[in-house]
C-alpha cells in the first residue's frame, strides 16, 4: 500500500525560530529548506523498530511501595493517519518530568527533587486500533533556565515512527486548563489556535473506572494518507 | 485530518532510548547483514561553531542490494532479513557521532544515499537531510542548488570510513529538506 505525503499547512506547525527561546536562532537553518520530490526512500521507513529497541511497560506510576508521588493519571492516546485510519503496531516513546517538575536526566539539575520511584519514560507499541494506554503521574511545571520567567506547563513528550520516514513525529502533549499554557513559548510557537488546541489532551469526565486515576484522552495524527488508485 | 504539530525533542530525551547497538546496522538480532560494512563519522555544529552534545540522529537506508525493508518497495520480499535499515545514535561531548552500517545499493532514479534526521533541543521540527557517497546525480541531489551539493557528499576517510559533518546553521550550512 502506497503512502502519499502532502505538504503541511505551515500555520499548524511551530515557527522554527521562537522569540525568547535562545537556542532556536543558533540551530535552525538560515538557508531556505529545499523542496524535493518524494521518492521511495522517503515514502518507506522502518516498521520494525520494536525489534531493535527495548519496549518498556505501560505503567510508570509504579505499584505498592514503589508508587511515584503525584496525581495518578491514565493516558489513552490514539494514533491516526491523515485519512483517520489507525496506525497500529508503531513504536511510541514518551517521557515526562515527575510530579515536582524534575526529569531524571543529567541536563536537569537543581530546582526540584527527583522521585526515587519515577523515571518518567515508557516505550510502547500501538494496538490494531492505533491506541496505547499509560498509567503515570501528572508531570509538574518547571522553570526553563532562561531565567526570564518562562515556565514550561505540565506536558508529556512523544516520539512516534508511523509507516514511512516522513511520518516520523516528535511532539508534546499538554493538559487542559493549565494557566501556563497561555504563555508557553513552545506551545504558542504554533500560529493556528485550533492546531494548538489539538495539542491539549481532554479530561474524560471521572467515572467508576479506573476509580483512582484521572483519565485523559489524546489524539495524534501522523503525516500520510493512503494513495488513491490513480496515485498508486 | 490535519497532522499534529511538531515540537522540539527538548534537552531531556531519556538516555535509555539510545539503546546499545542501535548505531550499528551491520548486526541485527545477532546476525550479520550482507554487504560492505562501512563506518560514518561526523560532527554536528551550531551557528557559533559550538559542538552539540546529546543531539539525536537517526538514519534510514536500503540494504546492500538497494532494497528497502518496507512493503512500498516492490522488491521488499527479497530484502536482506538481517538488515533493518534504521539506526539511532547521539553525539558525544565533542559533537561527534558514529554509525556502522552497510553501503546502500542504488535504487530506481536514486544514487546510493542515507537519509538522516536531526532532533535536538531548540529544533522545533525534525531536520531532514541526505548523505551521498559520490557526485552521481539523482532527483533529490538535483533539487539542491549546485553550489551546496558538495555539502551532502561524505568524505572518504580510511579504507571503510566516511565523514559527514552536519552544520545546522551558518557557514557551510548543511542543506536540509522541506517535505
Amino acid at each position: 500500500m502506497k503512502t502519499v505525503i502532502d505538504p503541511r499547512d505551515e500555520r499548524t506547525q511551530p515557527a522554527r525560530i521562537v522569540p525568547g527561546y535562545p537556542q532556536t536562532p543558533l540551530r535552525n537553518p538560515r538557508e531556505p529548506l529545499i523542496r524535493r520530490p518524494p521518492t521511495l526512500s522517503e515514502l518507506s521507513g522502518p516498521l520494525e523498530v520494536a525489534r531493535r529497541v527495548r519496549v518498556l511497560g505501560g505503567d510508570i506510576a509504579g505499584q505498592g511501595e514503589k508508587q511515584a508521588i503525584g496525581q495518578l493519571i491514565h493516558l489513552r492516546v490514539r494514533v491516526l493517519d491523515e485519512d483517520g485510519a489507525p496506525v497500529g503496531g508503531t513504536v511510541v516513546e514518551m517521557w515526562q518530568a515527575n510530579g515536582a517538575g524534575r526529569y531524571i536526566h543529567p541536563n536537569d539539575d537543581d530546582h526540584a527533587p527527583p522521585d526515587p520511584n519515577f523515571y518518567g519514560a515508557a516505550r510502547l507499541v500501538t494496538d490494531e486500533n492505533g491506541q496505547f494506554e499509560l498509567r503515570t503521574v501528572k508531570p509538574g511545571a518547571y522553570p526553563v533556565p532562561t531565567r526570564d520567567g518562562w515556565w514550561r506547563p505540565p506536558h508529556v513528550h512523544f516520539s512516534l515512527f508511523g509507516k514511512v520516514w516522513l511520518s516520523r513525529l516528535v511532539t508534546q502533549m499538554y493538559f487542559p486548563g493549565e494557566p501556563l499554557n497561555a504563555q508557553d513559548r513552545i506551545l504558542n510557537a504554533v500560529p493556528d489556535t485550533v492546531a494548538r488546541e489539538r495539542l491539549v489532551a481532554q479530561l474524560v469526565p471521572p467515572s467508576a473506572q479506573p476509580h483512582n486515576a484521572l483519565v485523559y484522552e489524546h489524539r495524534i495524527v501522523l503525516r500520510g494518507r493512503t494513495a488513491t488508485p490513480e496515485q498508486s | 485530518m490535519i497532522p499534529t504539530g511538531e515540537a522540539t525533542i527538548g534537552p531531556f530525551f531519556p538516555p535509555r532510548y539510545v539503546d546499545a547497538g542501535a548505531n550499528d546496522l551491520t548486526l541485527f538480532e545477532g546476525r550479520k547483514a550482507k554487504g560492505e560494512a562501512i563506518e560514518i563519522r561526523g560532527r554536528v555544529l551550531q551557528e557559533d561553531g559550538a559542538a552539540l552534545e546529546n543531539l539525536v540522529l537517526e538514519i534510514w537506508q536500503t540494504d546492500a542490494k538497494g532494497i528497502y525493508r518496507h512493503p512500498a518497495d516492490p522488491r521488499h520480499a527479497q530484502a536482506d532479513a538481517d538488515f533493518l535499515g534504521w539506526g539511532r545514535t547521539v553525539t558525544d561531548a565533542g559533537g561527534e557521532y558514529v554509525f556502522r552500517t552497510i553501503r546502500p545499493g542504488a535504487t530506481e532514479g536514486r544514487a546510493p544515499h542515507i537519509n538522516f534526521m536531526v532532533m535536538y533541543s531548540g529544533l522545533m521540527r525534525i531536520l531532514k537531510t541526505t548523505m551521498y557517497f559520490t557526485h552521481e546525480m539523482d532527483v533529490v541531489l538535483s533539487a539542491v542548488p549546485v553550489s551546496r551539493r558538495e555539502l551532502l557528499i561524505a568524505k572518504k576517510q580510511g579504507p571503510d570510513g566516511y565523514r559527514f559533518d552536519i552544520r545546522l546553521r551558518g557557514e557551510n550550512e548543511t542543506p536540509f529538506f522541506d517535505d
Side-chain angles (χ1 to χ4, degrees):
Chain A
M1 207 157 58
K2 270 178 100 173
T3 302
V4 175
I5 298 273
D6 300 310
R8 289 172 295 185
D9 178 347
E10 280 294 303
R11 292 187 49 77
T12 66
Q13 296 297 322
R16 293 176 189 271
I17 297 193
V18 179
Y21 187 170
Q23 289 87 357
T24 58
L26 291 169
R27 297 180 181 166
N28 284 279
R30 184 187 297 277
E31 297 286 340
L33 299 194
I34 298 159
R35 264 232 180 245
R36 58 177 164 183
T39 70
L40 181 58
S41 189
E42 301 81 29
L43 299 179
S44 61
L47 296 178
E48 294 162 282
V49 172
R51 290 176 65 178
R52 168 62 88 190
V53 303
R54 207 154 55 92
V55 170
L56 309 151
D59 175 5
I60 60 171
Q63 301 282 350
E65 288 177 6
K66 293 284 183 192
Q67 271 207 79
I69 291 174
Q71 172 73 63
L72 263 184
I73 62 169
H74 188 93
L75 298 181
R76 193 175 291 145
V77 182
R78 278 199 84 196
V79 182
L80 306 171
D81 68 13
E82 290 179 66
D83 290 325
V87 181
T90 198
V91 167
V92 180
E93 298 167 312
M94 69 76 66
W95 64 105
Q96 63 164 87
N98 71 18
R102 171 80 180 257
Y103 287 89
I104 303 302
H105 192 285
N107 284 347
D108 199 1
D109 41 24
D110 61 357
H111 76 276
D115 180 340
N117 295 321
F118 193 73
Y119 181 82
R123 185 143 60 187
L124 306 145
V125 178
T126 56
D127 67 17
E128 67 272 22
N129 300 314
Q131 189 162 294
F132 66 91
E133 303 206 25
L134 181 71
R135 183 174 170 273
T136 182
V137 295
K138 189 176 171 190
Y142 58 86
V144 183
T146 49
R147 306 203 185 279
D148 64 349
W150 178 17
W151 277 63
R152 295 304 322 280
H155 63 278
V156 174
H157 296 262
F158 288 112
S159 144
L160 302 100
F161 287 84
K163 292 176 189 164
V164 299
W165 188 239
L166 296 185
S167 59
R168 184 91 174 81
L169 175 70
V170 174
T171 187
Q172 299 181 21
M173 181 200 93
Y174 300 84
F175 290 86
E178 291 290 331
L180 292 171
N181 286 350
Q183 59 129 57
D184 181 53
R185 294 173 193 170
I186 292 176
L187 172 57
N188 290 287
V190 175
D192 183 68
T193 314
V194 180
R196 284 200 301 277
E197 283 165 3
R198 284 194 296 264
L199 299 173
V200 181
Q202 304 225 312
L203 176 65
V204 175
S207 66
Q209 286 298 329
H211 72 282
N212 62 352
L214 287 174
V215 179
Y216 287 91
E217 286 185 346
H218 189 53
R219 190 157 74 190
I220 294 174
V221 180
L222 300 183
R223 297 184 73 192
R225 56 184 176 82
T226 301
T228 58
E230 305 86 74
Q231 289 168 322
S232 51
Chain B
M1 301 185 88
I2 295 163
T4 301
E6 295 188 50
T8 175
I9 203 165
F12 306 123
F13 188 66
R16 67 168 63 163
Y17 284 168
V18 187
D19 298 62
N23 68 334
D24 186 354
L25 288 72
T26 66
L27 276 178
F28 181 51
E29 297 182 339
R31 291 182 308 275
K32 271 179 85 167
K34 292 178 193 70
E36 180 194 343
I38 56 171
E39 194 170 87
I40 300 164
R41 287 177 179 274
R43 199 162 175 232
V44 189
L45 305 173
Q46 65 179 17
E47 183 169 47
D48 57 7
L52 301 175
E53 183 180 8
N54 261 322
L55 174 139
V56 182
L57 287 168
E58 292 180 5
I59 59 172
W60 169 243
Q61 63 165 89
T62 68
D63 67 9
K65 287 200 220 145
I67 303 172
Y68 290 99
R69 191 188 183 103
H70 188 278
D73 191 326
R75 294 197 294 157
H76 96 279
Q78 292 128 56
D80 181 357
D82 299 326
F83 188 71
L84 183 63
W86 176 82
R88 170 185 286 172
T89 193
V90 287
T91 52
D92 66 17
E96 295 272 347
Y97 72 88
V98 57
F99 282 108
R100 278 179 56 72
T101 187
I102 296 292
R103 181 190 295 277
T107 60
E108 206 183 313
R110 297 295 310 265
H113 66 277
I114 297 180
N115 297 298
F116 275 70
M117 274 186 185
V118 183
M119 290 161 267
Y120 199 47
S121 172
L123 292 183
M124 298 297 288
R125 306 196 207 174
I126 296 173
L127 286 178
K128 285 157 281 180
T129 190
T130 298
M131 185 200 104
Y132 289 86
F133 294 88
T134 66
H135 289 79
E136 186 187 341
M137 291 305 290
D138 75 0
V139 290
V140 170
L141 193 55
S142 313
V144 178
V146 180
S147 62
R148 302 183 68 203
R149 286 178 190 162
E150 187 68 32
L151 297 163
L152 293 182
I153 296 157
K155 294 185 175 56
K156 193 96 178 69
Q157 199 170 59
D160 57 358
Y162 287 89
R163 186 153 192 96
F164 183 59
D165 293 325
I166 298 175
R167 184 70 175 256
L168 299 184
R169 184 184 180 93
E171 205 184 333
N172 292 326
E173 182 179 302
T174 302
F176 293 101
F177 295 98
D178 178 22
D179 296 299

